[in-house]
Amino acid sequence: MNKLPNDPGDLSAFSDVAPELADMLVSVASDIALVIDEKGVIRSVALGGTEPVSAAAGEWLGRQWIDTVTPDTRRKVEDLLNEAAESGVSRTRHINHPSLAGSDLPVAYTAVRLGHGGPLLVVGRDLRAVSAMQQRLVDAQQSMERDYWRMRQAETRYRLLFQIATDAVLVVDADTLRIVDANRAAGRLFGGTVQDMPGRQAGYALAPSSLPVLEELLGTVRVSERPGDAMLDLASGGRIHAWVSLFRDEGSTLLLMRAWPEGGQIPPAVDDAMLPELVRLTPDAVAFTDEQGVLLSANPAFVELVQGVDMASLRGRSMAEWLSGESDGLGALIAAVRQSGTLRLATRLRNERGHDVDVELSAVLIHNGDSNTIGLIIRAVQPRGPGVGVRGRMH
């Protein structure tokens, strides 16, 4: 039996049994143990049961340890060897070995010097499980970031349509009946701005006689979850037609209220003249159809998206020619936007060459006197797996 040294810091007594000590450490505490001489040459290799480590270390005996690692971790090997030679023990370092399987083999190594002038005992722990977990975390983070920016881009397009809608649109909290969001047309109809309307009661601009009518309408829609409408009087004079539907967003129950003057339209904003130029220059596809889905006009980005020759060759054709998936994709879209006034969904377009393109689509109903127009903003997205026709959230 070997006698333990009296000084715990003196490990020279283990120098002669370094290979046996390496085997013992592998069996109880590590995946690999190396005995390294003063020149950095591997004199003994003890392996645990992990197959990739065993396969990689099979040809290491007699080689310089630094020659068995990847170029980017050679400096770590030098630091580890120098530190162990000077102080007797090194800090743990993450070192990669080339693997026969192709991907690098990560190992966490610590070295101990077995006495003055003795060999180094280097023990390592396979980090593949840790590396795999780290990679999954990185992938998950990147996926979250991609989803976040995709959501922000979709929200931006949706809000553009929300603001250019000719109907007044209010988003109302179903519990408090206070305004959460409003478009510019609502400000012109009710008196106020997009900035100061949130937080007000939904009926702040109504005549006192119409407040009970609105409260009953909002309460009925909330309980029944069915759309409803009513005629209301404004405090400033005039009557409006209000249409209310319910939707849920990120766990909140909200009411979408559309309103327009009886027998008329809300006057356009003075800055609406800028919108045609915005539509022409935006990289997202923008199209306008009639109530049957027949294309009236579109910007250059739409022509490019559907791979058309020019706008003249596309005008007068039905959007059904490009909407793929469900057989009545256009009908479902038109019905939804007629009902709620606004819509956002994920679907597919089939371009002129017959190729399907995954897209995010936002739509709004635009009143033009006796007729209506449907405005669409469409953006191509990366495929997210097998798709269906019209799907997603409809307001």
Side-chain angles (χ1 to χ4, degrees), residues 292-303:
Q292 286 69 49
V294 175
L295 185 65
L296 302 175
S297 64
N299 67 347
F302 178 84
V303 178

Side-chain angles (χ1 to χ4, degrees), residues 12 20 45 50 96 105 108 114 123 125 138 148 154 180 215 231 236 267 275 277 279 284 287 312 359 368 383:
S12 58
E20 291 82 356
V45 179
T50 57
N96 295 325
L105 175 64
L114 301 181
V123 294
R125 174 65 68 181
V138 170
Y148 171 77
V180 175
E215 290 177 1
M231 298 300 298
S236 59
L275 291 174
E277 186 68 5
V279 169
D284 289 332
V359 299
N368 296 313

Side-chain angles (χ1 to χ4, degrees), residues 157-170 182-188 256-260 265-269 272 275 288 337 340-343 363-368 373 375:
R157 295 192 300 276
Y158 186 70
R159 287 195 61 80
L160 173 61
L161 288 175
F162 181 69
Q163 292 301 335
I164 68 175
T166 55
D167 286 347
V169 183
L170 299 178
N183 68 350
R184 296 184 301 169
R188 297 195 295 274
L256 183 72
M257 175 177 165
R258 291 169 51 210
W260 58 94
Q265 281 186 267
I266 303 171
D272 278 352
L275 291 174
F288 298 91
V337 77
S340 64
T342 57
L343 167 73
V364 68
L365 187 66
I366 303 172
H367 289 291
N368 296 313
T373 300

Side-chain angles (χ1 to χ4, degrees), residues 69-230:
V69 306
T70 58
D72 59 306
T73 55
R74 290 173 65 94
R75 179 61 181 271
K76 293 183 180 182
V77 170
E78 293 175 349
D79 292 342
L80 186 148
L81 291 175
N82 291 335
E83 187 175 333
E86 292 174 3
S87 64
V89 63
S90 74
R91 290 173 295 170
T92 300
R93 286 178 171 80
H94 179 163
I95 293 172
N96 295 325
H97 294 281
S99 171
L100 298 177
S103 58
D104 292 342
L105 175 64
V107 180
Y109 281 111
T110 302
V112 177
R113 187 184 63 192
L114 301 181
H116 298 292
L120 295 179
L121 178 61
V122 182
V123 294
R125 174 65 68 181
D126 185 356
L127 293 180
R128 283 178 304 128
V130 175
S131 296
M133 182 180 298
Q134 290 174 337
Q135 186 59 50
R136 285 196 295 270
L137 289 174
V138 170
D139 293 342
Q141 178 67 24
Q142 291 176 343
S143 177
M144 289 173 62
E145 291 176 357
R146 288 193 297 267
D147 289 344
Y148 171 77
W149 287 112
R150 186 181 297 111
M151 178 188 69
R152 286 292 299 273
Q153 291 166 346
E155 187 70 19
T156 299
R157 295 192 300 276
Y158 186 70
R159 287 195 61 80
L160 173 61
L161 288 175
F162 181 69
Q163 292 301 335
I164 68 175
T166 55
D167 286 347
V169 183
L170 299 178
V171 178
V172 179
D173 185 285
D175 295 321
T176 65
L177 300 187
R178 291 186 179 274
I179 298 171
V180 175
D181 204 354
N183 68 350
R184 296 184 301 169
R188 297 195 295 274
L189 180 63
F190 297 120
T193 65
V194 173
Q195 291 75 28
D196 65 23
M197 292 178 72
R200 292 185 176 186
Q201 287 292 327
Y204 78 93
L206 299 181
S209 60
S210 288
L211 289 176
V213 180
L214 177 63
E215 290 177 1
E216 181 180 358
L217 172 62
L218 296 176
T220 300
V221 171
R222 178 188 174 187
V223 173
S224 67
E225 300 189 3
R226 297 178 184 177
D229 65 314

